[in-house]
Amino acid sequence: DSFNYIKFQPGFTFRSQNDLYNSSSKNYYGSGQTVNNAVNSDLNVSKTPNFTGNLLFNHRFKKKGRTLSLNLNGADNYTDGTDDIYNVIDNFKFGNLFSTNIIDQNVLQNNKNYNYGITASFNEQLSKKNGLEFNYSYNKRFIQNDRETFNTAVTPNVLIPLQTNLFDNLYTTNRFGVNFRKTLKKYNYAVGLAVQPATIESNTVGVSKITFKQNIVNYFPVVRFAYNFSKSKSLSINYNGSTNQPSFQQSQPVPDISNPQNIIIGNPNLRPEFTNTFNMRYNKFNVISGDVFFGNMNITFTRDKIVNNVINKDFGARETRYLNENGFLNVNGFYAISKPLQNRKYVFNIGGNINYNSYITYLDFNKNKGKNWIVSQRFSMDYKLKKWLEVSGGAVFSLNDLKNSLSTSANNSIKTWSLTHSSRMFFKHDFNFTYDISKSLNEGYTSNVGVNPFIINASLEKLFLKTKNGSIKLQAFDLLNENVNLNRSVSQVNASTTDTRTNRLQRYFMMSLIYRFSKFKGSSKTGPGMQMQGSGMGGMRMGGPGF
């Protein structure tokens, strides 16, 4: 009715995995010599049903501005699975075979996971411009894992106590908050305070019996501000805080040696992460002139960040443990400016973005402080020379710089220039010709990865029928056969970088017959839409709405 609203959403998913086989082979080297060869295989069978539900109730009181909102949510899922794991590791010393380890195991694992919560919000209008909001939320999450590991290299199979346990974790939070809101014609804001007590309880039954409980209280302000200078110019500022609970793998203290080269041991004493996020956004546009400016800045810093402590073992093996650490900061921002001139005959576009990451990793119990800068600046221009010709061109410069205090061998800097040009031509008898060109110049990648691709795409299209709804089109992609993609990823786990070169689908041709169904009177003079493949610099669009 006009005062009450109710909505219920149930959900069910089921995933079954039968005989999923994974195999990998790796060679590790040190000082120019082989350290070990490892062959790992895993045959997995599992099933995972998942039930979810969400109930929303809103009530509007007779007094204007007074409302009550209640939200109930819950989820229940479990996973039953078995893993047949087989590993063969050949270890070498001074280039000679030293030992061979064979691991043949069967892991039976039963995971149970349920969570439920309630959120309540009450709004009271104090006056025409002022209001109060009281909110409360309660959440409980329970995780239980029953893991049994058997040595299947012998008959009968033998239970391995060190890799067997029953582990459960209970995470409970309460959040209380109050916000004051003010709404005016030009601006509105909300300020408030929230407190969130949390409790973590962990119990482990196995060779090592562990019972752990910790109580945590987080305080954080709530700030929202929006100023509307005009219908086309606005500024907004927001702050919020959030928590993140340790995952099951990060919490379970039993060694996982399904991959003997990468052993994982959880830490039941981990605290939840707490992240503070600050955001500021400014927008300005002019419908008549076409001037546009967008700007955004986002800052996050995290307390009790869960980090990895990677410990190097003999013969290239690693052991990963987890701990909490402070000192994580991320700053990112971007801006975009578009300036049309001479009745939009010329359109100049300038933009850029910056991303800064400060992080901490541990290598063999030693702290490594890392800093990563990613900066990009771009410029482009669109030019409508004639009714039958449109031309555009642009350039992008990007920098990816990484510095580590401990792993100095991973310090490096990548510089990339990307140059683009495209044209659209409309000829008599309804012929259209389109091409786009891009050239990338890369510096700083490893020698066996770095390339500087030159990509040329082209298309010739003929429109037909009185309505110009039909067309036949010939497209040519990557005429020089150089289409590859380069990517650098920075790992905050072990302070390393990975350069990847991906071979994309290279030179090919495609003939298309297209008919566009239009719901509107008239027809497009530029024909059906077309999106052409580029080289990571964005493609080129031709025509109006199409199909």
Side-chain angles (χ1 to χ4, degrees):
D1 56 31
S2 59
F3 289 95
N4 300 287
Y5 172 81
I6 188 168
K7 178 182 180 181
F8 177 62
Q9 288 180 289
F12 171 73
T13 60
F14 180 81
R15 186 170 69 95
S16 180
Q17 190 166 273
N18 295 313
D19 300 332
L20 178 65
Y21 181 73
N22 290 303
S23 179
S24 64
S25 177
K26 294 184 179 181
N27 299 321
Y28 295 84
Y29 298 91
S31 302
Q33 293 183 329
T34 300
V35 175
N36 70 43
N37 297 327
V39 177
N40 306 311
S41 62
D42 180 9
L43 182 63
N44 177 268
V45 177
S46 65
K47 60 180 180 180
T48 306
N50 180 41
F51 300 88
T52 62
N54 184 276
L55 176 66
L56 173 66
F57 171 72
N58 289 328
H59 176 71
R60 182 170 61 88
F61 294 88
K62 292 184 178 180
K63 181 182 177 181
K64 186 177 180 179
R66 180 182 292 175
T67 62
L68 173 67
S69 177
L70 298 174
N71 186 271
L72 300 172
N73 64 83
D76 187 359
N77 66 75
Y78 67 89
T79 300
D80 283 325
T82 62
D83 279 293
D84 290 317
I85 300 169
Y86 185 76
N87 309 107
V88 179
I89 303 102
D90 292 328
N91 300 313
F92 294 82
K93 275 190 175 182
F94 307 110
N96 299 314
L97 182 63
F98 177 76
S99 64
T100 298
N101 297 329
I102 298 177
I103 298 176
D104 194 356
Q105 296 178 348
N106 179 257
V107 179
L108 305 179
Q109 194 154 291
N110 177 267
N111 296 329
K112 295 181 180 179
N113 185 347
Y114 71 80
N115 64 82
Y116 59 86
I118 180 172
T119 300
S121 175
F122 178 78
N123 290 279
E124 179 68 25
Q125 196 73 22
L126 302 178
S127 66
K128 185 177 180 180
K129 300 177 181 179
N130 301 324
L132 276 178
E133 177 192 2
F134 300 91
N135 54 73
Y136 168 76
S137 64
Y138 171 85
N139 286 279
K140 175 172 283 190
R141 180 183 177 188
F142 176 79
I143 300 174
Q144 183 184 78
N145 183 63
D146 187 357
R147 179 188 179 98
E148 293 180 302
T149 305
F150 295 87
N151 181 1
T152 54
V154 297
T155 303
N157 298 342
V158 177
L159 184 71
I160 306 175
L162 289 176
Q163 296 172 239
T164 298
N165 84 324
L166 176 64
F167 172 83
D168 63 70
N169 178 269
L170 183 64
Y171 180 56
T172 307
T173 63
N174 291 271
R175 175 168 169 163
F176 306 87
V178 58
N179 301 323
F180 172 78
R181 301 190 317 273
K182 191 175 189 69
T183 304
L184 297 173
K185 184 177 180 180
K186 282 285 188 180
Y187 66 91
N188 63 81
Y189 66 84
V191 293
L193 180 68
V195 57
Q196 185 182 54
T199 302
I200 299 178
E201 298 179 65
S202 299
N203 296 286
T204 300
V205 178
V207 175
S208 301
K209 295 185 178 181
I210 300 174
T211 300
F212 178 78
K213 182 178 181 179
Q214 60 175 321
N215 297 307
I216 302 166
V217 180
N218 289 309
Y219 301 90
F220 46 92
V222 175
V223 179
R224 295 190 299 271
F225 175 80
Y227 192 93
N228 298 310
F229 300 91
S230 65
K231 291 183 178 180
S232 60
K233 184 166 62 172
S234 64
L235 170 70
S236 65
I237 299 173
N238 294 279
Y239 165 83
N240 63 73
S242 61
T243 61
N244 179 44
Q245 182 195 7
S247 68
F248 160 75
Q249 186 182 53
Q250 293 169 335
S251 301
Q252 183 173 247
V254 174
D256 179 358
I257 61 171
S258 53
N259 181 355
Q261 297 302 111
N262 186 24
I263 302 170
I264 298 175
I265 303 177
N267 177 7
N269 299 323
L270 288 175
R271 298 182 298 277
E273 300 175 347
F274 184 80
T275 300
N276 302 271
T277 303
F278 172 84
N279 175 265
M280 181 170 65
R281 184 174 65 249
Y282 177 77
N283 301 325
K284 178 183 178 182
F285 64 92
N286 188 310
V287 177
I288 298 175
S289 67
D291 292 348
V292 175
F293 176 85
F294 292 102
N296 185 81
M297 182 177 68
N298 199 73
I299 302 173
T300 62
F301 56 94
T302 304
R303 187 173 72 243
D304 290 328
K305 180 75 173 180
I306 300 172
V307 301
N308 293 13
N309 179 19
V310 179
I311 305 164
N312 290 308
K313 298 292 186 177
D314 293 334
F315 302 106
R318 291 181 182 182
E319 181 180 281
T320 301
R321 296 175 179 264
Y322 303 94
L323 49 86
N324 291 106
E325 185 58 85
N326 297 319
F328 282 76
L329 172 67
N330 174 260
V331 181
N332 65 76
F334 79 89
Y335 78 96
I337 301 174
S338 181
K339 179 67 176 178
L341 296 175
Q342 294 188 15
N343 197 27
R344 308 196 184 191
K345 182 177 181 180
Y346 303 91
V347 180
F348 294 91
N349 303 289
I350 303 173
N353 60 275
I354 184 170
N355 188 79
Y356 170 74
N357 267 304
S358 175
Y359 60 90
I360 293 173
T361 61
Y362 278 83
L363 302 174
D364 295 321
F365 299 98
N366 297 311
K367 182 188 288 189
N368 173 72
K369 295 182 179 180
K371 296 180 179 180
N372 183 211
W373 286 92
I374 302 175
V375 182
S376 177
Q377 179 63 49
R378 56 190 176 275
F379 170 80
S380 66
M381 183 187 73
D382 300 325
Y383 177 41
K384 294 183 179 180
L385 184 63
K386 301 288 183 181
K387 290 184 178 180
W388 59 271
L389 177 61
E390 296 179 3
V391 179
S392 67
V396 179
F397 173 76
S398 60
L399 169 70
N400 189 333
D401 186 78
L402 176 67
K403 294 291 186 293
N404 288 284
S405 62
L406 187 63
S407 302
T408 56
S409 60
N411 293 348
N412 49 64
S413 184
I414 291 265
K415 299 181 181 69
T416 300
W417 278 97
S418 297
L419 308 175
T420 62
H421 166 68
S422 63
S423 288
R424 298 189 295 176
M425 304 175 191
F426 309 101
F427 299 109
K428 293 181 179 180
H429 308 296
D430 298 318
F431 278 97
N432 301 331
F433 177 70
T434 305
Y435 71 85
D436 67 79
I437 301 171
S438 67
K439 175 64 177 178
S440 297
L441 303 171
N442 300 287
E443 177 186 337
Y445 285 100
T446 52
S447 58
N448 62 331
V449 172
V451 291
N452 299 311
F454 186 26
I455 310 299
I456 301 177
N457 302 320
S459 171
L460 178 64
E461 184 176 29
K462 164 64 176 173
L463 307 181
F464 57 88
L465 300 179
K466 290 182 179 181
T467 58
K468 305 300 185 287
N469 279 21
S471 72
I472 185 167
K473 178 171 57 178
L474 173 64
Q475 293 170 274
F477 298 95
D478 188 22
L479 289 171
L480 300 182
N481 213 36
E482 295 186 5
N483 194 10
V484 297
N485 179 61
L486 294 181
N487 180 64
R488 164 160 290 184
S489 61
V490 177
S491 172
Q492 297 183 10
V493 174
N494 53 14
S496 66
T497 61
T498 301
D499 290 342
T500 304
R501 181 175 69 185
T502 304
N503 293 327
R504 295 177 171 177
L505 179 61
Q506 296 186 323
R507 181 169 54 214
Y508 68 99
F509 302 87
M510 182 163 63
M511 180 73 77
S512 304
L513 178 64
I514 301 172
Y515 182 82
R516 180 170 61 92
F517 297 91
S518 175
K519 294 182 180 180
F520 306 98
K521 292 182 179 180
S523 60
S524 171
K525 296 299 183 183
T526 54
M530 173 181 135
Q531 177 72 46
M532 293 192 67
Q533 172 179 308
S535 59
M537 288 299 301
M540 172 174 56
R541 289 187 298 274
M542 175 177 176
F547 141 82

